[in-house]
Amino acid sequence: MAEKQINGILKQVLELGPTIAFFLIYLRIKEDSFTIAGTEYSGFIVSALVFIPILLVAMAVLWRLTGQLSRMQVFTAFMVIFFGGLTAWFNDERFFKMKTTIVYGCMAGLLGIGLARGQSWLQFVMAELLPMRPEGWMILTKRLMGMFVALAVANEFIWRTMSTDTWVKLETFAMPAALVLFLWVQIFALQSYLIDPAADPDAAAKAKDAPGDDAKG
């Protein structure tokens, strides 16, 4: 089913709003502790638990308005619920911090599996948004896999060696910003592989349909 178009600002609010809400809630209650069902929880853990319904509501609204959710959004929601549950069950904030490492690690692993098969699964997901020759997709996939590995390692280093306050700020702003900047740099670096659909509609159609089976990076 084709995705319904909605206001771009509203879509950004629904996609980024839950993370910003988590950050603001954490800032408000980070020094507090809360007793729930006889167990005392830190402000960080309560913020993580409140984040779950906020994320699910935002995703439900996004699905209602667009008719679609990406696999990555569904996977991320599952990881948030799973590790948020472990965080509450064991009353241990480390589980929620590990979530970021595992999400980035899984994305790197999936791209790596595709590359081992001689395919760019990134092309399969994003070809409609960025028409590009298969060789370009293979290069971008290899580089993005490396970036995901770097972010996973960085997250492990940050949460194991730095304060919770520092981790929240870096996880909320620095790591997503680094990923966006990386992607922008790669788009400019791979200009020679991009296809202009207006100038070469046949090549654009092939790039969109091709799963990247035989492309070599």
Side-chain angles (χ1 to χ4, degrees), residues 3-43:
E3 182 178 0
K4 302 174 187 175
Q5 296 301 311
I6 64 171
N7 181 276
I9 295 177
L10 175 59
K11 186 175 182 181
Q12 289 294 309
V13 169
L14 292 172
E15 291 178 344
L16 303 178
T19 301
I20 302 300
F22 164 74
F23 177 74
L24 295 176
I25 293 170
Y26 168 76
L27 288 182
R28 176 66 180 82
I29 66 174
K30 65 180 181 178
E31 303 296 341
D32 301 331
S33 60
F34 301 84
T35 301
I36 303 173
T39 301
E40 184 175 322
Y41 297 96
S42 68

Side-chain angles (χ1 to χ4, degrees), residues 14 66 78 117 127 177 185:
L14 292 172
T66 66
F78 170 78
R117 294 167 56 90
V185 169

Side-chain angles (χ1 to χ4, degrees), residues 3-201:
E3 182 178 0
K4 302 174 187 175
Q5 296 301 311
I6 64 171
N7 181 276
I9 295 177
L10 175 59
K11 186 175 182 181
Q12 289 294 309
V13 169
L14 292 172
E15 291 178 344
L16 303 178
T19 301
I20 302 300
F22 164 74
F23 177 74
L24 295 176
I25 293 170
Y26 168 76
L27 288 182
R28 176 66 180 82
I29 66 174
K30 65 180 181 178
E31 303 296 341
D32 301 331
S33 60
F34 301 84
T35 301
I36 303 173
T39 301
E40 184 175 322
Y41 297 96
S42 68
F44 174 84
I45 291 179
V46 171
S47 300
L49 295 180
V50 173
F51 172 61
I52 296 174
I54 293 175
L55 176 65
L56 293 179
V57 168
M59 288 182 62
V61 173
L62 188 62
W63 177 79
R64 180 70 178 84
L65 293 177
T66 66
Q68 284 189 347
L69 291 173
S70 70
R71 292 183 180 90
M72 183 50 59
Q73 288 172 317
V74 175
F75 172 69
T76 301
F78 170 78
M79 297 298 283
V80 168
I81 294 170
F82 180 74
F83 282 95
L86 290 178
T87 297
W89 182 263
F90 292 102
N91 198 10
D92 189 337
E93 64 185 34
R94 291 178 296 178
F95 288 103
F96 197 75
K97 294 175 180 178
M98 290 178 196
K99 163 191 62 66
T100 302
T101 300
I102 294 174
V103 168
Y104 285 133
C106 285
M107 289 191 286
L110 289 172
L111 294 181
I113 291 171
L115 289 170
R117 294 167 56 90
Q119 300 173 326
S120 169
W121 289 357
L122 187 66
Q123 177 185 2
F124 179 75
V125 174
M126 296 182 60
E128 290 187 1
L129 300 176
L130 186 65
M132 184 163 58
R133 296 205 303 273
E135 298 89 343
W137 280 114
M138 293 296 284
I139 294 171
L140 179 58
T141 300
K142 291 174 183 177
R143 292 176 180 177
L144 186 58
M145 181 184 71
M147 182 62 175
F148 283 144
V149 170
L151 288 172
V153 171
N155 186 70
E156 281 297 295
F157 175 79
I158 292 166
W159 82 257
R160 291 178 184 275
T161 63
M162 302 182 188
S163 67
T164 294
D165 208 46
T166 300
W167 178 84
V168 169
K169 292 173 182 176
L170 293 178
E171 200 270 347
T172 303
F173 298 108
M175 284 192 274
L179 182 58
V180 170
L181 178 61
F182 171 84
L183 290 173
W184 273 110
V185 169
Q186 294 310 309
I187 290 173
F188 284 108
L190 297 171
Q191 284 289 318
S192 61
Y193 295 97
L194 297 182
I195 299 170
D196 183 353
D200 196 346

